[in-house]
Amino acid sequence: MAPKSARVTRNPELIPGVRKISRSKMYHKRGLWAIKAKNGGKFPHHDKAPAATPVVEKPPKFYPADDIKKPLSNKRKPKPTKLRASIIPGTVLILLAGRFKGKRVVFLKQLSSGLLLVTGPYKINGVPLRRVNQAYVIGTSTKVDISGVNVEKFDDKYFAKQVEKKKKKGESEFFEAEKQDKNALPTEKKDDQKAVDAPLLKAIEAVADLKAYLGARFTLKDGMKPHELMF
Amino acid sequence: MPFKRYVEIGRVALVNYGKEYGKLVVIVDVIDQNRALVDAPDMVRSQMNFKRLSLTDIKIDIKRVPKKKTLIAAMEAADVKGKWEKSSWGRKLIVQKRRASLNDFDRFKLMLAKIKRAGVVRQELAKLKKETAA
C-alpha cells in the first residue's frame, strides 16, 4: 500500500474544549449527507454477522481434588556468556583451577554453551582439547598464530559423556572388559588432538622461548602482587 | 649537614601525590609558607602544596611566573629531560616503570635470561678459583 502521509485533523482544537468547526458544519464536511443519499435517505445499516454456534463441550469426567496453582510462564532465554575483550582466538590463557591449574594454554574458540575450547598443545604441557570456564582463566596479552587450525568440528556434543548401555546379564567378566575399553581414549580423539596441535606447534616453535613458556606452570612468587601484575 | 636543594623559582620537582603523580614540574612562584605555583609543559599552571613535591637537583633559569612559551624554551635550554633521565633517580624510575609494564611472557623470558647470566658468571668464577688454587 502507498505510505499514508500524516493526516491533518479536519477540526483542530483551538483551545482545550473548543474546536474550530461546529457540529452541523462537520456533518457536512464528513459527507454523511452523501452517504445517506447514496443509501436512499437512510444511513446504511449492516446486520450483525451470524454468530458461530459454540461447540458443545462435554463436562469433564474427572475433577482434581485440590485446585493446583499454575506456575507463571517463563519465556526467558539465557544469553551466551559474553567473552572478555582480552580473550581472542590464539590467546595464551592461564588456567586457575582444576587438574591443570597454573598451566599456560592456547585458546581456540568459544563453544555455544559459553565454555572456552582450549588445547595445551598436548605435546608441550599435557593439556588435551578441553573445555574451560571463562571465570577460571586469566587472559594474557601473548597471542599465538592460530590461522592454520580448523576447529569447526568441535562443539559441546563432542565432549559429552559416552552413554553406557545397560547390561543386566553377565557380571564380573563383562564389567572388567568394559572398564578397560572405557579408560582407553578412542583413537579418533587422539587423531583430532594431533590434527589440531600440528599447525599450532609450528606457529609456537617460530617464536623464541614460547614453547618453554607454555610448558612451564604459572606461580606467584615472593613480592608478586596479582592486582599490580600486568598479564 | 646543610641543605642543598632549595625551593626557588626554577627548581624542578617531582610530584609524589595526587593526579599529577610522577610528573616533573617547575616551581614558578611561591604562594605562601605551604604552597607553590607550579607549571609544566603539558599541564595547566596550578598551585601545589610543598608536601606533594619532591625537590630534585635540577634548576632552570626563569623569571617569576614566565609565559608557557618562555618556560618551555628555558626547559629545552637547560635540557631538563636529558639531565633527569641521566640522573640515578630518574634512571631508577624508568626501570621501575619498565618492570611494572612487563607481560607474563616477558617475565618468563627475564627469568631465563637471569638464569643464563648467573650460569655464565658461575663458570667464570669457577675458572678463576681453579687458577688461584693451582
Side-chain angles (χ1 to χ4, degrees):
Chain A
M1 244 177 82
K4 260 186 173 174
S5 55
R7 235 236 181 247
V8 184
T9 52
R10 282 187 281 219
N11 194 1
E13 202 171 42
L14 299 172
I15 48 171
V18 178
R19 290 195 174 258
K20 184 173 180 184
I21 304 172
S22 68
R23 244 187 141 77
S24 48
K25 282 266 159 44
M26 272 313 289
Y27 173 87
H28 179 77
K29 242 184 151 136
R30 282 169 69 193
L32 298 174
W33 53 273
I35 297 174
K36 270 193 178 173
K38 228 172 157 192
N39 203 36
K42 275 194 285 191
F43 207 70
H45 171 80
H46 299 283
D47 288 313
K48 253 185 163 178
T53 50
V55 180
V56 179
E57 260 186 42
K58 277 181 26 190
K61 268 193 268 181
F62 174 72
Y63 287 97
D66 305 307
D67 281 328
I68 314 168
K69 272 198 180 161
K70 246 181 42 181
L72 295 170
S73 72
N74 182 7
K75 297 226 177 85
R76 177 175 172 267
K77 282 201 184 74
K79 283 197 281 194
T81 325
K82 190 164 174 218
L83 198 58
R84 264 181 269 164
S86 62
I87 302 179
I88 62 173
T91 311
V92 172
L93 306 174
I94 300 177
L95 301 180
L96 295 175
R99 198 175 150 203
F100 299 106
K101 52 177 156 298
K103 292 269 192 201
R104 295 168 172 123
V105 127
V106 178
F107 169 63
L108 297 174
K109 77 171 189 184
Q110 184 182 31
L111 302 170
S112 54
S113 64
L115 298 173
L116 312 179
L117 177 66
V118 128
T119 181
Y122 186 71
K123 270 214 177 295
I124 296 183
N125 52 20
V127 179
L129 280 163
R130 199 168 205 265
R131 295 184 298 173
V132 135
N133 190 319
Q134 204 193 157
Y136 301 101
V137 138
I138 296 180
T140 65
S141 49
T142 316
K143 312 260 184 280
V144 175
D145 182 17
I146 211 175
S147 50
V149 181
N150 183 0
V151 271
E152 299 295 314
K153 69 178 275 197
F154 301 112
D155 60 351
D156 290 295
K157 276 200 281 265
Y158 180 88
F159 295 98
K161 281 208 168 86
Q162 306 302 330
V163 180
E164 207 186 288
K165 288 213 183 91
K166 286 193 189 160
K167 279 232 161 90
K168 286 187 190 157
K169 295 185 196 166
E171 286 136 14
S172 45
E173 337 164 80
F174 273 22
F175 268 91
E176 280 173 23
E178 280 221 37
K179 258 200 188 161
Q180 280 179 358
D181 275 339
K182 268 182 76 182
N183 279 347
L185 202 62
T187 48
E188 188 196 54
K189 293 220 170 170
K190 291 191 188 168
D191 291 333
D192 286 338
Q193 183 74 52
K194 284 198 201 126
V196 168
D197 284 354
L200 267 183
L201 279 166
K202 265 209 269 214
I204 288 170
E205 271 157 22
V207 183
D209 294 332
L210 189 57
K211 195 162 174 212
Y213 174 63
L214 289 174
R217 279 206 204 227
F218 172 81
T219 55
L220 281 179
K221 303 200 180 80
D222 225 4
M224 286 172 104
K225 296 173 197 156
H227 70 292
E228 281 179 2
L229 288 178
M230 208 164 83
F231 286 98
Chain B
M1 17 163 278
F3 288 100
K4 292 222 184 73
R5 298 173 185 163
Y6 295 97
V7 167
E8 48 200 332
I9 295 175
R11 175 66 61 187
V12 174
L14 184 72
V15 180
N16 60 25
Y17 184 93
K19 205 176 100 192
E20 317 283 343
Y21 180 84
K23 269 193 171 164
L24 277 181
V25 292
V26 178
I27 297 176
V28 296
D29 198 3
V30 171
I31 298 172
D32 63 13
Q33 196 198 353
N34 299 316
R35 291 177 300 156
L37 192 62
V38 129
D39 203 356
D42 56 345
M43 77 177 224
V44 178
R45 192 195 302 149
S46 59
Q47 60 96 28
M48 247 190 211
N49 193 315
F50 287 121
K51 292 188 179 177
R52 292 197 175 194
L53 298 172
S54 300
L55 303 180
T56 68
D57 287 328
I58 308 171
K59 184 173 179 306
I60 64 176
D61 188 18
I62 50 171
K63 291 211 166 19
R64 194 183 76 90
V65 193
K67 285 205 174 27
K68 201 66 157 219
K69 261 194 347 197
T70 333
L71 177 70
I72 295 178
M75 285 181 89
E76 297 284 320
D79 191 25
V80 167
K81 195 156 182 254
K83 281 200 204 138
W84 177 245
E85 282 167 7
K86 276 194 235 120
S87 74
S88 64
W89 186 359
R91 275 182 287 137
K92 267 190 280 178
L93 285 190
I94 291 172
V95 169
Q96 274 177 20
K97 276 205 191 95
R98 179 77 184 101
R99 286 206 181 134
S101 71
L102 283 180
N103 198 342
D104 188 47
F105 188 25
D106 292 335
R107 267 175 265 133
F108 181 80
K109 285 190 271 189
L110 180 68
M111 176 192 70
L112 292 182
K114 278 190 181 170
I115 293 173
K116 206 170 181 189
R117 178 178 69 173
V120 171
V121 167
R122 215 171 291 143
Q123 271 187 335
E124 285 301 314
L125 185 62
K127 262 195 240 159
L128 288 173
K129 277 201 187 147
K130 243 172 81 172
E131 279 172 27
T132 52

